[in-house]
Amino acid sequence: MAFKGFHLFGVIPLAAYGLLLGVSSFADDPATQNVVENSPKLDAPAPGSEGDTLTKEDARMALLIYKLLDKDGKFKNANLERGEKLFYQNCRPCHGEDGRRMNLGGTLANPIYMGERARNDLPTFWYQMNFGDDVRGMEAYYDEFTVDEMVDIAAHAQTFE
């Protein structure tokens, strides 16, 4: 399973790399400032320095793997009520009431809808929520929602059939 040159088997090494760097690229992102401030202090390069090579994409994926999910791959501390409200306000026009308006990569005979993608291919789902998908016309919402709001929306999407 891959998206935009990123392979699932690259998630763990990438996330480990992010931890080694202290998730330093989050320093200028107010939505993740608390994560940075409460992260373990490692010998990480200063944010923006020559040694700080972690992209915001890499940092968001590391955050997903190490900070936002429990051991079962479910979002910790998600507010499903708020996620439902945000979904209906922002996502429903394109994705439909139940997340089944668009086939997100399956075949006509075996479509993949939002709920299945959010449960079974969360790294791809999370990436597309954050950074969009030019092929499908999905807008990037990295700057539109806080991390907590994205967690709530994604956790709500996991409840869809």
Side-chain angles (χ1 to χ4, degrees):
M1 147 184 32
F3 56 92
K4 293 191 182 189
F6 185 84
H7 297 278
L8 179 58
F9 295 109
V11 169
I12 301 304
L14 175 66
Y17 175 71
L19 285 178
L20 288 174
L21 290 179
V23 197
S24 58
S25 289
F26 280 116
D28 61 347
D29 182 354
T32 56
Q33 190 65 41
N34 190 37
V35 172
V36 172
E37 290 170 359
N38 294 320
S39 293
K41 302 299 181 221
L42 303 174
D43 291 333
S49 72
E50 186 176 321
D52 180 18
T53 59
L54 192 64
T55 67
K56 67 181 177 182
E57 289 89 350
D58 294 343
R60 262 299 155 104
M61 296 306 290
L63 178 70
L64 171 70
I65 301 301
Y66 282 98
K67 298 284 186 184
L68 302 179
L69 299 178
D70 65 18
K71 64 181 177 64
D72 297 320
K74 302 290 184 204
F75 285 99
K76 298 183 223 176
N77 305 316
N79 180 332
L80 289 174
E81 213 171 274
R82 183 170 70 166
E84 180 179 21
K85 180 180 177 186
L86 289 167
F87 176 86
Y88 285 112
Q89 289 173 344
N90 299 282
C91 311
R92 181 179 48 126
C94 294
H95 292 286
E97 293 278 328
D98 58 0
R100 296 174 67 93
R101 183 174 287 157
M102 292 183 179
N103 181 349
L104 301 178
T107 64
L108 286 176
N110 190 22
I112 296 174
Y113 294 117
M114 183 178 281
E116 182 180 348
R117 171 66 51 88
R119 284 187 309 277
N120 299 331
D121 190 5
L122 188 55
T124 300
F125 183 84
W126 183 253
Y127 185 93
Q128 289 172 331
M129 271 184 68
N130 279 269
F131 303 108
D133 182 345
D134 293 337
V135 173
R136 293 178 180 84
M138 171 78 178
E139 295 291 323
Y141 288 96
Y142 180 82
D143 294 323
E144 301 293 321
F145 295 109
T146 67
V147 171
D148 288 339
E149 289 170 332
M150 285 199 170
V151 164
D152 297 342
I153 293 167
H156 174 68
Q158 288 180 328
T159 68
F160 291 146
E161 295 283 324

